[in-house]
């Protein structure tokens, strides 16, 4: 198999993996932690009801790495990914 075919196969598999696994997990995580941004969630942790508790979570950032960046990382870190694609 040529290197181009290996890259093509990897990209196909990665796209399927993103669609089947990463995107659904990403959505579940966002739903799970989104309520942490609201101050009401943290009121149960207050030592006194007279003290306003701001949310300690200001923002949440998640992303799914683009396929070309995954390939770049594999090529840049060949000592870690010595088997390649």
């Amino acid at each position: 198999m040529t290197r181009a075919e290996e890259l093509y196969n990897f990209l196909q598999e990665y796209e399927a993996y993103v669609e089947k696994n990463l995107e659904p997990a990403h959505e579940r995580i966002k739903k799970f932690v989104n309520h942490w941004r609201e101050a009401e969630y943290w009121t149960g942790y207050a030592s006194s009801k007279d003290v306003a508790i701001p949310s300690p979570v200001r923002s949440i950032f998640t992303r799914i790495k683009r396929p070309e960046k995954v390939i770049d990382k594999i090529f840049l870190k060949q000592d870690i990914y010595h088997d390649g694609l």
Side-chain angles (χ1 to χ4, degrees), residues 16-31:
Y17 180 75
V18 166
E19 186 177 321
K20 183 178 178 185
N21 297 294
L22 296 182
E23 287 176 350
H26 183 246
E27 289 304 313
R28 286 192 308 270
I29 291 168
K30 284 188 343 187
K31 285 181 184 179

Side-chain angles (χ1 to χ4, degrees), residues 2-52:
T2 67
R3 186 62 138 185
E5 291 170 327
E6 287 178 356
L7 286 172
Y8 179 78
N9 288 340
F10 171 78
L11 289 173
Q12 295 298 319
E13 289 177 25
Y14 185 76
E15 287 179 25
Y17 180 75
V18 166
E19 186 177 321
K20 183 178 178 185
N21 297 294
L22 296 182
E23 287 176 350
H26 183 246
E27 289 304 313
R28 286 192 308 270
I29 291 168
K30 284 188 343 187
K31 285 181 184 179
F32 180 76
V33 298
N34 200 31
H35 65 279
W36 292 352
R37 295 174 62 191
E38 300 171 14
E40 293 81 30
Y41 175 82
W42 300 99
T43 56
Y45 296 96
S47 59
S48 168
K49 293 187 182 208
D50 298 331
V51 178

